[in-house]
Amino acid sequence: MLSKKEKIFALIFSIIVIAELICVSFKSLTTYHYFTKPLILLSLILFFLKYCKHLDAKTKWLTLLALTFSLFGDVLLMFDTISVTFLASGLVAFLIAHIMYILIFLKHKNNSKNIFYFSVFLLIYATTLFYFLKDGVGDLLLPVVVYMLVILLMAITAFYREGSVPKNSFILVFLGALFFITSDSLLALNKFYSPLPFSNISIMFTYSIAQLFIVFGIKKQF
C-alpha cells in the first residue's frame, strides 16, 4: 500500500511523534515540546510539498491550507491553559482545517454511495459524547457544537469517496478521519469532562496518525 518513499517518511514521522510523546511525558523535557509538537505538522507539510506535485492546483492549495491551519491549531493549543482565548482560537484553526479537508473530499464524492446509516451512527456517537461534555463546556458551548458538526461532516465526506477514488486512497483517508474523531473526542473528554490517564500520549498519537493517513490518502487519489 505504501511506496518506499512513504515508508521512509513514515519512519521519520514516527520518530518525531515518539520524541513529542516523550517530551510531554516528562516535566524535565517540557521545553522541547514547543519544538517537537510543531515539527509533526511541519514535516507533513514538507513531505506534501515534495511528493504531491502531481495533484491538481486546487487540491494542493486546500491541503496546504488544512495542514497550515492544523499547525496553527497545534501551536495555539499548547497555550490553552493560559487563557480560554487560546483554546477557542485553536478550535477555530482546526475548524478551518476540517473545512479544507471537506472541500477536498467532496471533489471526489461518489453520488451513488449510501451515507445515511453511517451519518446516523456518527450523530448517535456525537450526541452521546455531547451528553458527557455539556456541563463542562461553559461559554464554549456554541463553538464546541459547531466544531463537532464540522468534524462529523469531514468523516462523512471521507466515507463519501468510496468507489470514486483508488481503494487505498479511500481506506487511508477514511481511517484518518476516524482517528481524527477519536483524537478530538479524547481531547474534549479530557478538557471538558474529566482528566484522562495518559491523555497527552493518546491524543497526540491518534491525531498524528490521522494527519499522516489523510495526507497519504490524498497523495494516492490520482
Side-chain angles (χ1 to χ4, degrees):
M1 179 180 285
L2 298 181
S3 67
K4 183 179 179 180
K5 291 177 181 178
E6 289 166 348
K7 289 178 180 178
I8 292 173
F9 175 75
L11 176 61
I12 296 171
F13 186 79
S14 298
I15 293 172
I16 295 171
V17 172
I18 291 171
E20 162 62 8
L21 298 181
I22 292 173
C23 289
V24 297
S25 300
F26 298 95
K27 288 186 177 180
S28 60
L29 298 175
T30 300
T31 302
Y32 298 103
H33 159 67
Y34 295 97
F35 170 74
T36 55
K37 186 177 182 181
L39 189 59
I40 293 173
L41 262 293
L42 283 172
S43 67
L44 266 178
I45 291 172
L46 291 175
F47 171 84
F48 185 82
L49 288 172
K50 184 172 178 62
Y51 294 111
C52 296
K53 296 176 182 179
H54 62 288
L55 298 174
D56 63 274
K58 184 176 180 180
T59 299
K60 283 190 287 188
W61 278 109
L62 288 174
T63 306
L64 284 173
L65 284 172
L67 294 173
T68 301
F69 277 102
S70 294
L71 175 60
F72 290 160
D74 282 346
V75 173
L76 289 166
L77 290 182
M78 286 194 292
F79 304 97
D80 65 344
T81 56
I82 298 177
S83 170
V84 70
T85 302
F86 286 104
L87 176 59
S89 299
L91 286 177
V92 171
F94 277 113
L95 181 73
I96 296 172
H98 288 313
I99 292 173
M100 297 301 105
Y101 281 139
I102 289 169
L103 294 175
I104 295 167
F105 302 159
L106 283 176
K107 280 173 58 65
H108 298 280
K109 67 181 185 297
N110 181 359
N111 290 322
S112 63
K113 179 75 174 174
N114 186 348
I115 61 173
F116 176 76
Y117 295 106
F118 180 64
S119 300
V120 170
F121 170 78
L122 287 183
L123 285 173
I124 293 172
Y125 172 80
T127 302
T128 304
L129 178 64
F130 184 73
Y131 173 80
F132 292 98
L133 303 179
K134 59 182 175 60
D135 294 330
V137 294
D139 295 336
L140 292 175
L141 176 62
L142 182 59
V144 168
V145 170
V146 172
Y147 184 86
M148 289 178 68
L149 291 174
V150 170
I151 194 171
L152 292 184
L153 185 57
M154 188 271 288
I156 291 170
T157 53
F159 183 68
Y160 213 175
R161 296 168 73 249
E162 186 176 19
S164 64
V165 294
K167 186 176 181 179
N168 55 354
S169 174
F170 165 73
I171 291 173
L172 285 167
V173 166
F174 183 58
L175 287 177
L178 294 183
F179 272 112
F180 231 131
I181 289 179
T182 302
S183 177
D184 283 345
S185 297
L186 292 171
L187 176 64
L189 288 169
N190 185 67
K191 177 65 64 176
F192 301 121
Y193 180 65
S194 178
L196 302 176
F198 307 108
S199 59
N200 287 335
I201 294 176
S202 59
I203 292 168
M204 184 51 62
F205 177 74
T206 50
Y207 167 72
S208 300
I209 293 177
Q211 294 280 24
L212 179 68
F213 280 13
I214 288 174
V215 169
F216 277 4
I218 292 174
K219 177 179 179 290
K220 292 175 177 292
Q221 70 184 16
F222 291 111

